[in-house]
């Protein structure tokens, strides 16, 4: 497993944080450092048709080693990390033979990864964990996926006795800011279906995800000396607070699970004269999703009506944009591709955990672009923060799943 550890760490230490405020693709030039490393690695392990375009999309081919016709399949991961928490100067720590207790991530700042809070840790007793040093995220989302795909392709090249059809791999920038599939060339990729390796614990297999929208809301105010403010001052920060208080109190990420949707405030900044709020809206059900957007606009309209006489124009301006939709609609007509992944796991002794994604992946966008793309576990936990970790054994098992899917694709009669 040292090979997997070394490969993962070589990816993790490269800063690939994306930036939602940048108009370019990739949104940060530093992402190309890892993209170019991946190009080099794909060539080194023996893949063909390895390319990187001007926007940082990396693709490569493992040629078929069978004579009969086999569907071309793909595996996709993203190489950017979330801007929610710093990914600069990542210094991974390796915990061999984890004893099941607290892990001191940073002694100086008393940052501890504890199973008393993160209960999933208990199941990895005796395994090798890769953690942060408590000061950055780790980047297992989705550098674990990168590691697994490259390692699986390398294994298949080295073991030609394992029969498989043509396999395409694709690595994308900017997934964490919802733009990973924006200009992915599905026709060039040329796969009939693909799998994103971008989930969490062993067994996860997902073909449903949230419908998603983002809202940027601006609140205007009027600045007046506080000693003479009666009937004149309008504090935009208080108006923003009023908006927040009108959202359903329990429909937030930390209070919801499974198919339950939510509103999530991701940013708030302002002054007396202007406050800006960033909000994301999520729901698996399309009708409920539309109602959530309508509620946001209804609260905005209510606030504007309340202050129209005093302010003379709209005091609250909302821009709501859809981001992606539930891939279920596009995957269900091809459920055999989910069944194939499920069979691969079962043959490896893994219990499939088929459940909805409480988020979105490149796969949701790609599915609507003509590339049905369910999601498979990559092994990491506690993404987007200093408590992130990944068991090395989980990454190895994900490699095994990729290899098994490739093998089954070459031996399955899809005409039935």
């Amino acid at each position: 497993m040292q090979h997997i550890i070394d490969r993962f760490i070589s990816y993790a230490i490269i800063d690939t944080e994306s930036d939602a405020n940048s108009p370019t693709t990739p949104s940060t030039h530093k992402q190309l450092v890892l993209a170019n490393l991946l190009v080099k690695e794909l060539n080194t392990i023996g893949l063909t048709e390895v390319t990187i375009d001007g926007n940082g999309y990396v693709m490569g081919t493992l040629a078929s080693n069978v004579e009969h016709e086999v569907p071309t399949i793909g595996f996709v991961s993203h190489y950017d990390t979330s801007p929610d928490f710093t990914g600069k100067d990542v210094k991974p720590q390796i915990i061999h033979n984890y004893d099941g207790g607290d892990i001191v991530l940073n002694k100086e700042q008393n940052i501890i990864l504890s199973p008393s809070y993160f209960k999933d840790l208990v199941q990895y007793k005796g395994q090798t964990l890769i953690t942060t040093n408590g000061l950055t995220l780790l980047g297992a989302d989705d550098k674990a996926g990168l590691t697994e795909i490259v390692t699986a392709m390398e294994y298949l090249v080295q073991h030609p006795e394992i029969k498989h059809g043509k396999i395409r791999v694709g690595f994308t920038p900017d997934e964490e800011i919802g733009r990973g599939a924006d200009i992915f060339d599905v026709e060039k990729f040329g796969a009939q279906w693909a799998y994103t390796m971008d989930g969490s614990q062993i067994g996860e297999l997902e073909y449903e995800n949230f419908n998603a929208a983002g809202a940027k809301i601006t609140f205007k105010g009027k600045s007046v000396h506080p000693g003479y403010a009666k009937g004149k001052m309008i504090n935009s920060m208080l108006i923003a607070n009023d908006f927040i208080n009108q959202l359903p109190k329990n429909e937030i990420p930390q209070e919801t699970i499974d198919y339950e949707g939510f509103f999530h405030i991701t940013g708030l900044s302002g002054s007396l004269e202007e406050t800006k709020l960033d909000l994301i809206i999520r729901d698996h059900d399309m009708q409920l999703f539309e109602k959530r957007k309508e509620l946001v606009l209804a609260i905005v309209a209510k606030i504007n009506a309340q202050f129209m006489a005093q302010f003379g124009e709209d005091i609250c301006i909302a821009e709501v944009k859809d981001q992606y939709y539930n891939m279920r609609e596009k995957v269900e007509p091809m459920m055999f591709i989910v069944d194939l992944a499920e069979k691969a796991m079962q043959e490896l002794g893994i219990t499939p955990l088929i459940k909805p994604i409480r988020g979105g992946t490149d796969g949701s966008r790609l599915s609507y672009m003509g590339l049905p793309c369910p999601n498979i576990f990559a092994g990491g936990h506690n993404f987007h923060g200093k408590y992130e970790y990944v068991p090395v054994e989980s990454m190895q098992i994900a490699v095994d799943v990729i290899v098994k899917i490739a093998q089954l694709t070459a031996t399955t009669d899809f005409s039935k």
Side-chain angles (χ1 to χ4, degrees), residues 282-353:
R282 302 288 189 264
D283 210 295
H284 285 89
D285 183 276
M286 180 58 77
Q287 288 186 333
L288 295 177
F289 175 60
E290 294 296 336
K291 286 183 178 179
R292 289 185 182 280
K293 292 187 290 181
E294 290 169 6
L295 176 60
V296 168
L297 296 177
I299 297 172
V300 167
K302 180 181 176 182
I303 291 173
N304 283 331
Q306 181 182 350
F307 285 90
M308 180 57 69
Q310 185 179 1
F311 199 76
E313 61 182 85
D314 285 349
I315 199 170
C316 183
I317 298 96
E319 179 184 10
V320 181
K321 288 187 176 180
D322 288 355
Q323 296 169 320
Y324 51 83
Y325 303 109
N326 191 340
M327 74 171 92
R328 178 174 179 169
E329 178 182 334
K330 301 299 181 181
V331 175
E332 274 193 329
M334 296 182 65
M335 273 300 289
F336 67 87
I337 69 179
V338 178
D339 297 338
L340 186 73
E342 183 178 7
K343 182 179 179 182
M345 292 184 193
Q346 290 170 337
E347 290 196 5
L348 292 168
I350 301 165
T351 301
L353 303 174

